[in-house]
Amino acid sequence: MASLLVTGGAGFIGSNFVAHWARENPGDRLTVLDLLTYAGNRANLEGLNAELVVGDIRDEALAFGLVESRGIDTIVHFAAESHVDRSITGPDAFIETNIIGTHTLLKVAKRLWVDTGKPHRFHHVSTDEVYGTLGPDDPAFTETTAYAPNSPYSASKAASDHLVRAYHHTYGLNTTTSNCSNNYGPFHFPEKLIPLFIINALHGRALPIYGDGLAVRDWLHVEDHCRGISAVITRGRAGETYNIGGGEELPNLTVVDTLCAAVDRAFAGNPDLARRFPDAPAASGQPTSVLKTFVADRPGHDRRYAIDCAKAVAELGYQPRHSFESGFAATLRWYLDNEGWWRAILDGSYRAWMDANYGNRGTSTQ
Ligand code: NAD
Ligand code: DAU
């Protein structure tokens, strides 16, 4: 039986990972360390067999005590400030959490594992954004592509990757790192392109497309990402990095057009949606695409990301299972079926909503 500490496990990918790992490894113990920033959400862990400890990864004494007292042998490190736009307007939190926070965890892992000879694994979840931006004909990022981060977010993630690498080479910490592309799926916080645009479409609000809308991202369903991380943790070699992608390179405009058409189809097939979302253009038979609005570009906007995940395929047997078409359709259904989840976030009445809906049934220790 393994004992995992999942940092950032109340966020989007972290909570999907907790659900995935608990399903695949029901005997394992799962402890989540999460500060519950604006992006963290107790509801994401509802019903899962995991203990939520509310706290900061920069709190060395807390992290040390948790790893020691829970007999943790595996840290899966998701906790981060994750939104590029926020890093442009307020970079400090990114330096604090992504760099200092990661270093705090590395120090704890070294003291409790390397210095005592205990078997362990420190898995660091990173991003393809550390590699910078690609031209239209450039080959996709591999694990040996030189780092060239362009935003405060990606620079902070690059710094954390380097620290993880250094702790392996200098101290012998058993590390792995995964660099993945744009995730999407359930529990995605509605500041990122896909959930923001779904919810705006339902309310008849503008869909703000940055620049010409032709920036390209490789879309990875969060379940495929979680399977990839599990494969790295269980079969990846110490000190190595692995790219994880979805094999679905798409310009933003294609994503937005797919989204608009899917919303139109959903309304056409279900008259109840017009009653629930009367401000949606689709409620009155108009195409959702009327909401498309071109706005000023993101400063320093990376033009294209593309992931070559041949190493993970060859070494770990990783293969994404979701096409963007099927993964997006399931995601839209999830947002339509889980209005309470995102409504609580939008209303800013999240804590009151949790108290009313879940009372004391949460798993928090604080
Ligand atoms: P998210 O913003 O949804 O969740 C981040 C979580 O970390 C939240 O629960 C938040 O409360 C927690 N957190 C933030 N600061 C903390 C701190 N100081 N101490 C403890 N907890 C803290 O992010 P996400 O999209 O789930 O991303 C998870 C990880 O995956 C991040 O490291 C991110 O860089 C990486 N990543 C994300 C994507 C993506 O498409 N979302 C792609 C590549 C890599
Ligand atoms: O590539 C991996 C990265 O993907 C992760 O490391 C980040 O944590 C994650 O947030 C994501 O970063 P992006 O900046 O690519 O994601 P975002 O959803 O913010 O934007 C996706 C694309 O859509 C990007 O080209 C910017 C554009 N966009 C985004 C928003 C929020 C818009 O055109 N309008 C918008 O309102």
Side-chain angles (χ1 to χ4, degrees):
M1 178 188 130
S3 182
L4 277 69
L5 180 67
V6 182
T7 72
F12 163 46
I13 307 173
S15 60
N16 276 282
F17 177 80
V18 169
H20 170 86
W21 191 276
R23 221 171 23 244
E24 300 291 314
N25 308 277
D28 286 356
R29 179 174 185 175
L30 285 158
T31 306
V32 168
L33 173 59
D34 197 297
L35 189 56
L36 297 183
T37 66
Y38 78 94
N41 193 333
R42 283 173 201 272
N44 296 7
L45 293 168
E46 180 63 19
L48 298 178
N49 189 17
E51 176 193 15
L52 170 63
V53 177
V54 180
D56 196 325
I57 56 167
R58 291 171 304 165
D59 184 340
E60 191 168 341
L62 172 64
F64 189 94
L66 278 181
V67 175
E68 195 175 40
S69 63
R70 273 49 169 197
I72 305 283
D73 50 35
T74 307
I75 292 177
V76 193
H77 176 34
F78 292 93
E81 290 292 334
S82 68
H83 192 36
V84 174
D85 290 333
R86 286 179 188 255
S87 84
I88 295 167
T89 52
D92 298 68
F94 290 72
I95 307 306
E96 286 292 331
T97 293
N98 300 0
I99 304 178
I100 308 291
T102 300
H103 187 236
T104 303
L105 295 171
L106 288 166
K107 282 192 289 181
V108 166
K110 175 185 172 294
R111 279 169 64 199
L112 279 170
W113 293 341
V114 179
D115 297 354
T116 64
K118 192 174 177 222
H120 63 273
R121 168 58 60 88
F122 186 108
H123 181 71
H124 176 54
V125 179
S126 191
T127 171
D128 59 1
E129 300 204 9
V130 297
Y131 300 122
T133 187
L134 293 169
D137 301 320
D138 288 338
F141 302 130
T142 70
E143 290 79 0
T144 56
T145 301
Y147 274 33
N150 288 319
S151 71
Y153 163 69
S154 53
S156 68
K157 292 296 289 187
S160 66
D161 292 10
H162 291 323
L163 285 166
V164 171
R165 177 189 161 91
Y167 266 68
H168 172 72
H169 281 270
T170 303
Y171 303 115
L173 190 69
N174 179 349
T175 63
T176 41
T177 296
S178 50
N179 297 81
C180 74
S181 56
N182 282 63
N183 285 225
Y184 68 100
F187 301 108
H188 205 180
F189 193 83
E191 64 185 351
K192 310 281 168 60
L193 180 77
I194 287 181
L196 176 72
F197 279 31
I198 289 175
I199 291 168
N200 280 8
L202 297 177
H203 292 86
R205 288 196 292 253
L207 308 180
I209 298 164
Y210 297 162
D212 60 8
L214 297 179
V216 171
R217 297 291 183 265
D218 169 8
W219 292 95
L220 170 66
H221 193 278
V222 67
E223 285 169 8
D224 284 329
H225 184 200
C226 293
R227 287 192 307 102
I229 293 172
S230 295
V232 176
I233 292 170
T234 51
R235 299 193 289 283
R237 287 179 292 134
E240 291 293 315
T241 68
Y242 295 87
N243 283 352
I244 302 176
E248 288 280 14
E249 257 193 77
L250 296 169
N252 291 338
L253 270 181
T254 304
V255 171
V256 176
D257 288 337
T258 303
L259 185 152
C260 290
V263 171
D264 292 348
R265 276 197 305 278
F267 275 72
N270 179 0
D272 193 43
L273 290 178
R275 183 193 58 76
R276 286 170 57 197
F277 305 109
D279 297 328
S284 51
Q286 279 189 291
T288 302
S289 58
V290 298
L291 299 174
K292 282 164 61 178
T293 309
F294 289 88
V295 299
D297 210 351
R298 170 186 280 173
H301 196 174
D302 284 337
R303 191 65 170 170
R304 175 176 166 240
Y305 304 142
I307 282 267
D308 178 342
C309 56
K311 180 177 173 183
V313 171
E315 278 191 28
L316 312 173
Y318 168 74
Q319 279 292 347
R321 290 182 185 156
H322 290 272
S323 66
F324 183 73
E325 198 188 342
S326 67
F328 177 75
T331 302
L332 175 60
R333 272 197 304 280
W334 190 88
Y335 279 86
L336 292 173
D337 291 346
N338 290 277
E339 184 181 347
W341 180 85
W342 53 260
R343 181 76 65 199
I345 292 170
L346 296 193
D347 289 351
S349 57
Y350 169 64
R351 277 169 215 291
W353 180 81
M354 273 306 293
D355 287 346
N357 283 277
Y358 296 109
N360 292 323
R361 288 192 292 122
T363 50
S364 173
T365 57
Q366 292 187 25

